[in-house]
Amino acid sequence: MMVEGIAPALAEALETRGYSELTPVQKAVLDPALGQSDALVSAQTGSGKTVAFGLALAPTLLSGAERFGGAAAPLGLVVAPTRELALQVARELGWLYEMAGASIATCVGGMDMRTERRILERGAHLVVGTPGRLRDHITRGALDISGLAAVVLDEADEMLDLGFREDLEFILGAAPAERRTLMFSATVPRAIATLAKEYQRDAVRIEAAGEQKQHHDIEYRALVVTPADRDNAIVNVLRFHEARNAIVFCNTRAAVNHLTARLNNRNFSVVALSGELSQNERSHALQAMRDGRARVCIATDVAARGIDLPGLELVIHADLPTNPDTLLHRSGRTGRAGRKGVSALIVPHPARRRSERVLQAARIEAEWARPPSAEDVIARDNERMLSDPALSEPVSEGEREFVATLLERFGPEQMAAAYLRMSRAGRSAPEYLSESGPLPAAGKAAGPAGAPSKSRDDFGDSVWFSLSVGRKQNAEPRWLIPMLCRTANLTKREIGAIRMQPEETFVQISADSADAFVEALGPHMTIQGNIRVEAVDGEPDFARSAWRTQKPERKPHRGKGGFGKETGERAPKKKFDKGDRPAFADAGAKPWGDKKAVKPGKPKFDKGPAAKPVKKPKRPK
């Protein structure tokens, strides 16, 4: 693969690796107009930027030679935000520079510093590391960066987000002023522009082609579910796609642990990645994904930054991303190097509006749909089984005799049933999901509660029911509706208006479903054991119901009249006349109006003459 600007050793490595064409960002950094200038490159995750800055560094590091000489102080330094990304960059540069004779060292947190120090003492042409560990080695004198010719900041925006600005400024300040500085970032916010202006010299701004069309090899799907069905929807999405590798993103460590336990119980081969794991545990988890021992990785955003899983076909957002950048970083784990991928957002219907804003801010048009149903998963399993190459391969001579024995003993139908059972063995059964309401129209944003739904005034024939919970018990439609759907196998379309009162709630049920609803409640007419349900004749009198449940929240203020027991009206304030005032035995007490009057209840008493102190007799001598 001979391309102008690529060193022969690197071109040979690309050809050996199977590269037939460079990506847009790789072509951009090889532009002769760039020369030896600094560069600020914006390129999305998965666009081939590691190879891109490897190609861009080669002319600076080799200085016209075909191979590197003896290793001493490093010539190039690559700084990455996370341990996984740094190790991945080192692997990529390892095969790219292998035929050029480069020696590459890594300095990442979580590894043995003494081992890294010994490697640095032997010398290296390139050093790849994380900001904190690199600063430690520089401070301790183990890493000599006085001879650096080039510095690369990979995922610079993530490093600033993770709070590495001070470390980056220390590293760049300690490096030679005449170095070449390349910054690669998915986005270029103001903080990145400020950093580039301070530590780069007349940097060339490069926007990789296709940057405006985010991840065109990724198919985005927004799957609307009821809040109670989130985990079940994730199970069905995993079962429907049966991806070689899948990653499920959660927002917290607790959510990672919860979902890991759920999927483990459902026979999924799953590993977890969160900040509480040690580096050794994280490495084992990623290795299990790479060698096929695990197929599902559940991770938080910080823990998953920089990881690269080969053949990652599916990304599931169990918790909605907080901003568009997070959505793009998560989804960028799939759809790499021309391969197709799916990014599925699990959207609880109360959060539909928020998910639409995130998608709109990321300039992504997602396909709105419901998660695969149990029937969809079973149908997909059957399709995969029918397309299994084992069913189309001819019977070999070595198999023919025993095949005849099996058919003679068990018959074709029994053999087909046995094959079906064996193909389904070990797989998790799909989940049955409740109805999640209408979906947004294609290409249009949904309203406040999703797509426009029919008016409740046109609900049709219905029966009203009273539930013994209200606003005082913190009752809300967002948990009442899923509870009703689960208890009586209702869909949201069969539930009409919901009228919340202080101590009871009225729910409108379709007349066609009312009998089944009552039958599902059982003879005690209760939901969840303690919520009583009663059928209402006709339409409830909401105003009277609210008046009936009104009770004083607290006692009347001191000095005010009390409430009448029968009428509910405030009693008049009691008045006293002077004759009602208490009399005291003290004849000298003055009326209350006198400022010098004795306080009532505290009469004066005559203490009598003061007693004289008695002198002690003198002790005889």
Side-chain angles (χ1 to χ4, degrees):
M1 181 180 183
M2 296 303 296
V3 178
E4 186 178 357
I6 300 182
L10 274 63
E12 186 178 353
L14 290 173
E15 188 174 356
T16 304
R17 198 74 174 183
Y19 274 70
S20 58
E21 186 179 358
L22 298 179
T23 64
V25 66
Q26 292 164 2
K27 293 177 181 177
V29 298
L30 292 175
D31 189 345
L34 179 61
Q36 297 293 312
S37 302
D38 292 352
L40 175 58
V41 184
S42 57
Q44 297 301 323
T45 303
S47 58
K49 55 185 175 54
T50 304
V51 173
F53 63 68
L55 297 175
L57 285 175
T60 305
L61 303 181
L62 288 170
S63 300
E66 293 188 2
R67 290 178 56 86
F68 287 97
L75 300 173
L77 179 67
V78 180
V79 189
T82 63
R83 294 170 286 189
E84 285 75 23
L85 182 56
L87 296 175
Q88 174 193 325
V89 168
R91 287 194 298 269
E92 290 287 300
L93 295 180
W95 66 258
L96 183 62
Y97 281 90
E98 182 181 7
M99 298 182 182
S103 174
I104 300 175
T106 58
C107 299
V108 298
M111 297 297 186
D112 189 352
M113 286 192 68
R114 293 170 297 178
T115 303
E116 293 177 346
R117 188 183 184 101
R118 286 194 294 269
I119 295 174
L120 293 173
E121 288 174 353
R122 291 197 295 264
H125 299 104
L126 267 169
V127 174
V128 184
T130 51
R133 179 56 63 90
L134 288 172
R135 181 174 182 175
D136 285 345
H137 281 302
I138 295 171
T139 304
R140 297 168 188 263
L143 177 58
D144 179 12
I145 60 173
S146 60
L148 284 182
V151 175
V152 176
L153 302 186
D154 191 14
E155 302 284 3
D157 53 346
E158 288 192 21
M159 285 193 280
L160 294 186
D161 290 342
L162 293 174
F164 290 132
R165 184 184 186 93
E166 184 178 344
D167 294 332
L168 291 178
E169 291 177 345
F170 174 84
I171 294 169
L172 294 175
E178 299 301 319
R179 71 181 184 275
R180 186 183 180 198
T181 306
L182 305 177
M183 288 190 186
F184 284 74
S185 179
T187 58
V188 186
R190 181 179 299 178
I192 292 295
T194 303
L195 191 69
K197 185 177 181 180
E198 185 173 355
Y199 291 100
Q200 288 186 311
R201 297 168 300 175
D202 302 325
V204 177
R205 178 74 168 88
I206 298 177
E207 294 185 11
E211 180 186 2
Q212 300 302 322
K213 188 177 181 181
Q214 307 285 9
H215 303 313
H216 57 277
D217 287 331
I218 301 175
E219 180 182 351
Y220 286 88
R221 295 178 185 172
L223 306 177
V224 182
V225 300
T226 61
D229 273 339
R230 188 200 73 151
D231 292 357
N232 294 338
I234 294 171
V235 169
N236 283 9
V237 172
L238 290 171
R239 285 283 287 105
F240 183 82
H241 290 279
E242 288 289 340
R244 174 187 169 190
N245 274 337
I247 187 168
V248 183
F249 281 101
C250 300
N251 288 344
T252 63
R253 298 179 186 177
V256 169
N257 295 334
H258 163 78
L259 201 54
T260 302
R262 283 293 306 272
L263 295 183
N264 265 323
N265 292 336
R266 301 303 305 272
N267 293 330
F268 287 94
S269 53
V270 58
V271 295
L273 278 182
S274 63
E276 61 189 0
L277 300 180
S278 66
Q279 179 59 35
N280 192 35
E281 291 171 327
R282 292 159 63 92
S283 300
H284 281 304
L286 292 175
Q287 187 57 39
M289 292 291 293
R290 293 190 179 102
D291 60 26
R293 286 179 289 126
R295 297 177 64 181
V296 180
C297 176
I298 305 174
T300 58
D301 293 315
V302 173
R305 278 179 174 165
I307 66 173
D308 182 22
L309 296 174
L312 184 67
E313 301 170 352
L314 176 64
V315 171
I316 299 177
H317 309 265
D319 295 324
L320 291 176
T322 55
N323 55 65
D325 289 339
T326 301
L327 172 61
L328 294 175
H329 279 301
R330 286 179 174 184
S331 303
R333 303 295 151 209
T334 186
R336 291 174 176 245
R339 293 188 296 267
K340 301 295 182 180
V342 175
S343 177
L345 285 81
I346 306 299
V347 183
H349 56 75
R352 191 182 300 176
R353 173 64 67 88
R354 179 162 61 91
S355 63
E356 289 171 353
R357 288 196 295 266
V358 173
L359 288 168
Q360 185 177 7
R363 300 178 183 178
I364 290 173
E365 293 184 6
E367 176 189 352
W368 288 85
R370 292 186 177 87
S373 64
E375 293 78 11
D376 295 334
V377 175
I378 294 172
R380 189 63 177 266
D381 285 342
N382 294 340
E383 291 177 7
R384 278 191 286 262
M385 187 180 64
L386 291 174
S387 61
D388 191 334
L391 291 174
S392 58
E393 292 178 0
V395 181
S396 65
E397 289 298 329
E399 300 168 336
R400 192 177 303 278
E401 182 179 353
F402 190 64
V403 167
T405 302
L406 291 173
L407 291 175
E408 181 181 356
R409 178 173 298 184
F410 300 105
E413 184 177 359
Q414 187 65 27
M415 289 301 302
Y419 178 73
L420 178 62
R421 296 186 193 108
M422 292 175 65
S423 66
R424 292 180 177 176
R427 291 181 177 176
S428 174
E431 294 285 354
Y432 288 88
L433 308 177
S434 57
E435 190 77 17
S436 57
L439 299 173
K444 296 182 180 180
S453 59
K454 63 180 182 180
S455 172
R456 292 301 181 187
D457 297 333
D458 302 331
F459 188 67
D461 295 337
S462 62
V463 177
W464 285 89
F465 290 87
S466 170
L467 278 64
S468 62
V469 290
R471 283 192 290 268
K472 289 185 179 180
Q473 290 78 30
N474 297 322
E476 295 181 351
R478 66 181 181 181
W479 63 262
L480 279 175
I481 292 176
M483 180 182 67
L484 293 172
C485 292
R486 289 195 306 269
T487 303
N489 294 323
L490 296 174
T491 64
K492 191 176 180 182
R493 295 179 182 179
E494 296 171 297
I495 302 175
I498 296 179
R499 297 288 185 264
M500 308 291 298
Q501 305 299 325
E503 292 187 350
E504 65 181 326
T505 299
F506 295 99
V507 179
Q508 187 182 21
I509 304 294
S510 171
D512 296 336
S513 307
D515 293 338
F517 177 64
V518 172
E519 184 179 354
L521 294 177
H524 299 291
M525 292 287 287
T526 59
I527 299 176
Q528 291 190 348
N530 59 350
I531 300 177
R532 299 185 304 278
V533 182
E534 297 179 5
V536 180
D537 293 333
E539 186 169 350
D541 186 353
F542 302 114
R544 181 170 180 78
S545 174
W547 171 84
R548 186 176 67 236
T549 57
Q550 182 179 8
K551 295 181 181 179
E553 296 289 341
R554 55 186 179 182
K555 294 181 180 179
H557 189 272
R558 185 174 57 189
K560 303 290 183 180
F563 286 96
K565 292 184 179 179
E566 302 297 333
T567 63
E569 299 178 355
R570 189 181 297 277
K573 181 177 179 181
K574 186 176 180 179
K575 297 181 179 180
F576 295 91
D577 56 8
K578 295 181 179 179
D580 295 329
R581 292 175 180 171
F584 297 94
D586 185 3
K590 298 181 180 181
W592 286 4
D594 194 336
K595 294 182 179 180
K596 298 182 180 180
V598 179
K599 295 182 179 179
K602 294 183 178 181
K604 284 186 176 181
F605 297 96
D606 188 3
K607 297 181 180 179
K612 296 181 179 180
V614 180
K615 294 182 178 181
K616 293 182 179 181
K618 294 183 178 181
R619 188 174 181 179
K621 296 182 179 179

